[in-house]
Amino acid sequence: MNTLAGRDILSMADMTAAEIHALLDLARQYKRGHTTPTAQGRVLGLLFTKASTRTRVSFSVAMMRLGGQVLDLNPGTTQMGRGEPLCDTARVLDRYLDVLAIRTFAQADVVTFAEWAQMPVINALTDREHPCQVLADLLTVQESFGDLRGLKMAYLGDGNNVSHSLMLGCALVGITLTVATPPQHPPDRDILHQAQALAAAPSPITHTHDPEVAVQQAQVVYTDVWASMGQEAENQERIPRFQPYQVNEALLQKADPQAIVLHCLPAHRGEEITEAVLEGRQSRVWDQAENRLHAQQALLAQVLGLV
Ligand code: CP
Ligand code: NVA
């Protein structure tokens, strides 16, 4: 049964383990070419205040594959860019659209939209979380290993939005996750504690400063940029701090020999990941990027109540 109909997805923790598994099952069906009842006449709005390639295009194509339509709502060309309050914009868009995906800085802004709009609101990345990414990540891990429960994952780099959703997602599905960050850039303490509380006892979510500890026996090695959107000015001062967390061949050799490598992209070759690893035999990043499409098609079908 689809229990996501009409719901907002602002955090990975807005879904239960059963809901994530149902969504991944549907995503796999879509990937195999399965079709479901049409979203004809339904419109997805994309309200993005930050750049995006994968999320914007995969959401658009996913909605088109469902038979619906997409409106790209650039804040620079709407009254939002001139300061119209979010609560007013949300109530008006709610009269036109059927579902809204938002990419912005403050998590509070997507929460405000969700409070004022009845339609499902989806977090397409904030500074705090990136749940749509992690749905695709879990689909990719499933494709390599089947059962998610009991797998061991290492995340290396910045304690950022992707690391936060990954902690919550791994906790829910029973993946043991070790997040290794420089001391100056830990994940949010509240989200770490939330993930630890969600995790079943044998699948701990832990934080360390030691990249070698994190990758020991890891079957999945994950990284993301060292400076996220909005932090570009800090890039030069961050590089030396993050250097020990680079995913390179030497570090990867300390992981499980069958380990796969994930990166949400865009990647900075020579910073958080080397060219050799990104393009190497253990990399699954292109499948991972493709899976954004299938996972979000499933998410749209479910929140729209099509299935
Ligand atoms: N991974 C990801 O969200 O990519 P975009 O920023 O291109 O959407
Ligand atoms: N952490 C990155 C993810 C980009 C998809 C950022 O927020 O820029």
Side-chain angles (χ1 to χ4, degrees):
M1 198 185 81
N2 170 26
T3 48
L4 291 185
R7 298 242 304 267
D8 302 314
I9 304 298
L10 309 184
S11 163
M12 202 61 205
D14 287 340
M15 290 167 279
T16 64
E19 286 167 345
I20 292 170
H21 281 291
L23 189 150
L24 297 178
D25 289 347
L26 183 59
R28 277 200 308 280
Q29 290 179 38
Y30 283 138
K31 192 167 184 174
R32 289 198 296 265
H34 175 79
T35 51
T36 50
T38 176
Q40 193 173 9
R42 311 279 195 103
V43 182
L44 162 69
L46 297 177
L47 188 52
F48 281 30
T49 65
K50 287 175 174 172
S52 169
T53 297
R54 280 144 288 271
T55 310
R56 182 193 299 279
V57 178
S58 59
F59 258 121
S60 302
V61 175
M63 191 62 176
M64 291 174 199
R65 286 194 178 184
L66 288 169
Q69 291 183 298
V70 184
L71 262 186
D72 203 341
L73 301 161
N74 179 347
T77 58
T78 66
Q79 298 288 6
M80 276 186 73
R82 296 179 55 249
E84 183 168 10
L86 297 186
C87 58
D88 294 358
T89 306
R91 277 176 287 184
V92 173
L93 292 181
D94 198 32
R95 305 287 177 112
Y96 307 140
L97 302 170
D98 299 284
V99 54
L100 179 64
I102 304 178
R103 167 168 289 199
T104 192
F105 293 88
Q107 181 78 13
D109 288 352
V110 294
V111 171
T112 299
F113 261 93
E115 277 170 4
W116 289 95
Q118 311 247 309
M119 67 183 153
V121 173
I122 297 171
N123 178 353
L125 181 147
T126 61
D127 287 349
R128 191 169 175 84
E129 279 209 51
H130 196 2
C132 296
Q133 177 66 51
V134 171
L135 291 170
D137 301 341
L138 296 177
L139 183 59
T140 312
V141 175
Q142 255 184 356
E143 288 175 342
S144 287
F145 297 103
D147 199 7
L148 296 174
R149 184 160 290 280
L151 288 174
K152 192 168 183 301
M153 185 188 297
Y155 172 92
L156 297 128
D158 188 21
N160 63 12
N161 43 13
V162 169
S163 80
H164 292 158
S165 292
L166 208 53
M167 291 193 298
L168 295 168
C170 287
L172 284 162
V173 301
I175 294 177
T176 295
L177 174 66
T178 307
V179 173
T181 74
Q184 302 93 327
H185 301 281
D188 180 87
R189 183 192 293 259
D190 290 343
I191 298 184
L192 177 62
H193 290 162
Q194 185 186 3
Q196 288 170 335
L198 283 171
S203 304
I205 307 296
T206 52
H207 176 226
T208 176
H209 303 311
D210 188 335
E212 294 193 10
V213 165
V215 298
Q216 262 168 33
Q217 296 168 348
Q219 289 135 318
V220 184
V221 177
Y222 197 126
T223 191
D224 182 16
V225 290
W226 292 340
S228 284
M229 288 180 275
Q231 299 171 332
E232 290 83 355
E234 297 172 29
N235 203 33
Q236 288 313 309
E237 70 188 74
R238 282 176 173 243
I239 286 174
R241 278 182 218 153
F242 281 92
Q243 204 62 52
Y245 302 85
Q246 183 187 65
V247 176
N248 52 39
E249 284 170 307
L251 191 66
L252 197 53
Q253 275 182 1
K254 299 186 190 324
D256 186 293
Q258 305 304 321
I260 63 167
V261 174
L262 299 183
H263 189 311
C264 58
L265 303 178
H268 292 176
R269 290 166 168 81
E271 291 186 18
E272 75 276 1
I273 191 163
T274 59
E275 170 89 11
V277 171
L278 187 73
E279 301 289 358
R281 68 171 179 87
Q282 288 164 284
S283 171
R284 295 292 179 277
V285 300
W286 314 115
D287 293 333
Q288 180 185 9
E290 177 187 335
N291 285 337
R292 299 293 307 275
L293 168 60
H294 309 300
Q296 285 156 208
Q297 189 175 346
L299 179 61
L300 287 170
Q302 291 187 319
V303 297
L304 286 168
L306 303 180
V307 289

